[in-house]
Amino acid sequence: MKRVRKAVFPVAGLGTRFLPATKAMPKEMLTVVDRPLIQYAVEEALEAGIEQMIFVTGRNKTALEDHFDVAYELEATMRGRGKSLAVLESTRLPAGSIASVRQQEPLGLGHAVWCARELVGDEPFAVLLPDDLMVGTPGCLAQMVAAYEQVGGNIVCTEEVPHERTASYGIVTPGVRDGRLTEVRGLVEKPKPEEAPSNLGIVGRYILQPEVMGILDAKEKGAGGEIQLTDAMAKLIGDQPFHGLTVDAERHDCGDKVGFVKANLALALKRDDVAPAIRAFLQDIA
Ligand code: G1P
């Protein structure tokens, strides 16, 4: 079985739900406490043993690449002032470990992943959607890689979602359950509650076999007129093992304003440096 060495980060989205914050700044640079969303996703990938990060970007997204580059002037100034550079740890990746490719038009998540096909090549790969901020020990993707080493094939991260919210998620038709793993018998993108095969939703973490790229070549449109990753994955079922993994992690939906503010509070409350002040403030305003 080939190891999962590469991860695709679809980061071309316009972030219209966060305007005006995202007018001149990528939404993946929105900060939770003191680091941008993209950094949480990249750190999670590094922890899972990923060596090659592939950003699928768009226009106005150069801040994402700069964030992981050497900031010569900043670092020289900090050194000159005797300041520690530890705070920049994990924003400086080994040379060559980030590559980027552009998605020229917003044609859907499936299309974004397909844009990375040449960089992915003929090996299994992970997909991480930075909007879903996952907090777990070990991290979400590391838990998925451990499961992958047992069952191989394709694995999506799953979570029970409220019945009335199925139209916001890819939804699984579940088969046999074995602990945290559920056999995937079918997948449908954003079904209405009355049409949903279950409440088991896909969270933005995937381990996929390269054959999905061949299916995406057809550029078939699905829900919302977009080329959907869920539809392409559904076509792998039967040919390759396919599982959902319910991880032991907290999920924060940072694609949504309420979820984003909650994420800031939840993560701040886990941080020794700021938790006491934030807790006192919350008690004050309660
Ligand atoms: C995407 C996927 C969907 C998945 C979701 C997880 O939707 O298409 O299947 O459940 O991410 O966050 P989006 O949230 O981009 O509309």
Side-chain angles (χ1 to χ4, degrees):
M1 191 194 294
K2 283 189 189 163
R3 213 163 71 72
V4 187
R5 298 187 309 126
K6 299 182 179 179
V8 176
F9 300 77
V11 290
L14 294 175
T16 49
R17 274 192 264 173
F18 279 93
L19 283 171
T22 49
K23 185 180 171 191
M25 180 187 81
K27 69 169 171 172
E28 298 80 9
M29 289 302 291
L30 289 169
T31 37
V32 173
V33 187
D34 58 2
R35 59 197 65 193
L37 287 172
I38 188 68
Q39 192 177 333
Y40 288 96
V42 165
E43 285 176 1
E44 186 187 323
L46 286 169
E47 186 210 342
I50 301 293
E51 293 159 7
Q52 178 78 65
M53 316 289 159
I54 303 169
F55 289 178
V56 181
T57 70
R59 290 176 287 283
N60 304 323
K61 294 280 186 166
T62 45
L64 295 171
E65 286 146 354
D66 290 345
H67 187 71
F68 295 97
D69 205 340
V70 173
Y72 181 77
E73 219 180 312
L74 172 71
E75 292 175 20
T77 308
M78 286 172 75
R79 270 192 208 99
R81 291 181 186 162
K83 291 212 164 123
S84 161
L85 296 184
V87 74
L88 297 176
E89 210 193 306
S90 81
T91 66
R92 296 186 49 175
L93 269 55
S97 53
I98 294 196
S100 72
V101 64
R102 281 202 181 190
Q103 182 188 23
Q104 291 127 320
E105 296 171 279
L107 300 179
L109 178 59
H111 178 257
V113 169
W114 178 81
C115 288
R117 67 199 178 283
E118 296 295 344
L119 295 176
V120 166
D122 189 25
E123 53 182 288
F125 63 102
V127 178
L128 295 97
L129 310 188
D131 276 3
D132 279 327
L133 173 49
M134 303 298 288
V135 184
T137 314
C140 176
L141 191 64
Q143 294 180 43
M144 291 176 69
V145 166
Y148 175 76
E149 282 161 2
Q150 308 283 314
V151 295
N154 303 274
I155 301 184
V156 289
C157 182
T158 51
E159 184 179 276
E160 295 280 345
V161 300
H163 184 62
E164 65 280 6
R165 300 228 42 227
T166 58
S168 300
Y169 295 92
I171 301 287
V172 171
T173 305
V176 179
R177 284 183 196 224
D178 178 9
R180 291 186 173 276
L181 275 172
T182 303
E183 182 199 348
V184 173
R185 294 230 171 115
L187 288 167
V188 51
E189 179 67 6
K190 304 199 167 91
K192 293 186 195 129
E194 59 274 22
E195 284 160 16
S198 75
N199 287 1
L200 201 57
I202 303 176
V203 173
R205 300 289 184 277
Y206 311 73
I207 293 176
L208 299 172
Q209 295 300 316
E211 286 75 18
V212 76
M213 297 295 193
I215 298 171
L216 287 166
D217 274 340
K219 301 207 181 79
E220 265 175 46
K221 290 187 178 158
E226 296 192 339
I227 301 168
Q228 296 291 357
L229 182 60
T230 303
D231 297 341
M233 293 190 304
K235 297 204 165 110
L236 295 172
I237 300 168
D239 291 343
Q240 298 179 346
F242 212 124
H243 292 88
L245 181 74
T246 301
V247 294
D248 181 14
E250 248 173 55
R251 167 174 173 254
H252 296 284
D253 178 5
C254 293
D256 168 85
K257 279 175 225 178
V258 173
F260 176 72
V261 174
K262 281 186 186 169
N264 265 288
L265 289 173
L267 272 77
L269 289 172
K270 287 185 204 296
R271 288 263 305 253
D272 295 343
D273 55 345
V274 291
I278 299 293
R279 193 168 291 116
F281 170 71
L282 290 175
Q283 273 158 3
D284 258 12
I285 60 169

